[in-house]
Structure formats: C-alpha cells, structure tokens
C-alpha cells in the first residue's frame, strides 16, 4: 500500500521546537521532490518547505524561512521538518507529499495522509 504517515506533532510553547517525520511506504521517495504542507483552521493548505532529490536544494515559505529546516533520508524513506522558534501562527495540521516542479502537490503517494497536529501556545 502506497502511503505517507506523518508524526511528531504536539503542543509546545512559543519559542519551542518540534521535529516532524514523514515515513513513506509502498514507493521510494528517492525519485521525488518532497514537501511539507500545513493547513490552519479556516485557511487553505499551503506549502511551507520542499526539498529536491539530492537534498541540497530547498525551498521555504517566507513565513518559516530561518526557523524551519527540511531534510530527507532516502535510505529510511523518510522526510523530516525541524521547526524551531515556533510561533502561535505556526499552529496547523502538517502534511507531507511529493511536490511537482511548480511546487504543487504530486499525488504519487496517494491522497493526503492523516497529518500531524502542531499547536503552539502563546
């Protein structure tokens, strides 16, 4: 079964850190650009970070630049998102997915996983 499973979310105070993981199964991530998206209540899902196949080229939304770091371990078939200096506005459900060159989602791993909730208190 092809799927992505996100984990690592939780409740953290502003200024704190979390590390999210996205484990893929049924298909290797090594052939795909991967990304982390988030969706806050009442808002559209947005891309926050993406990483190319080699891991050397990354993209970050302006809102997270300098605070979040995306990485990948192709051997473990896993993508990570290290989130530091968290702010209340980072509160959202976080999802991972493959990403097209135009940074839109690429559903080669199927539709969205269950996501992982990140809540940042002030």
């Amino acid at each position: 079964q092809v799927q992505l499973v996100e984990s690592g979310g939780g409740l953290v105070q502003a200024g704190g850190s979390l590390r999210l993981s996205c484990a893929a199964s049924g298909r290797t991530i090594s052939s795909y650009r991967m990304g982390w998206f988030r969706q806050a209540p009442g808002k559209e899902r947005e891309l926050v970070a993406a990483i190319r196949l080699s891991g050397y080229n990354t993209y970050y939304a302006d809102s997270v630049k300098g605070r979040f770091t995306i990485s990948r371990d192709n051997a473990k078939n896993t993508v990570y998102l290290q989130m530091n200096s968290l702010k209340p506005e980072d509160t959202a459900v976080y999802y991972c997915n493959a990403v097209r060159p135009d940074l839109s989602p690429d559903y080669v791993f199927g539709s969205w996983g269950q996501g992982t909730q990140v809540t940042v208190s002030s």
Side-chain angles (χ1 to χ4, degrees):
Q1 182 180 3
V2 177
Q3 65 177 359
L4 297 166
V5 178
E6 301 92 347
S7 62
L11 173 63
V12 63
Q13 289 188 332
S17 299
L18 285 173
R19 189 193 194 207
L20 307 184
S21 298
C22 170
S25 61
R27 178 165 284 166
T28 177
I29 67 169
S30 61
S31 300
Y32 302 100
R33 181 187 278 105
M34 298 296 294
W36 281 96
F37 298 77
R38 68 184 181 188
Q39 187 167 22
K43 295 187 176 181
E44 292 188 357
R45 194 164 354 220
E46 62 173 348
L47 177 70
V48 296
I51 186 167
R52 295 187 69 172
L53 277 65
S54 66
Y56 292 111
N57 296 96
T58 55
Y59 160 87
Y60 295 97
D62 288 342
S63 58
V64 307
K65 202 170 294 184
R67 300 187 298 121
F68 289 12
T69 303
I70 188 171
S71 62
R72 65 192 296 158
D73 186 336
N74 290 339
K76 294 184 177 180
N77 222 25
T78 301
V79 184
Y80 304 97
L81 186 68
Q82 177 67 43
M83 306 188 296
N84 299 328
S85 303
L86 282 162
K87 304 176 181 180
E89 50 264 43
D90 295 318
T91 295
V93 180
Y94 284 71
Y95 305 86
C96 68
N97 217 325
V99 177
R100 295 191 177 101
D102 66 356
L103 302 184
S104 64
D106 187 349
Y107 299 106
V108 292
F109 292 92
S111 186
W112 300 100
Q114 84 288 349
T116 186
Q117 175 71 48
V118 171
T119 303
V120 184
S121 63
S122 56

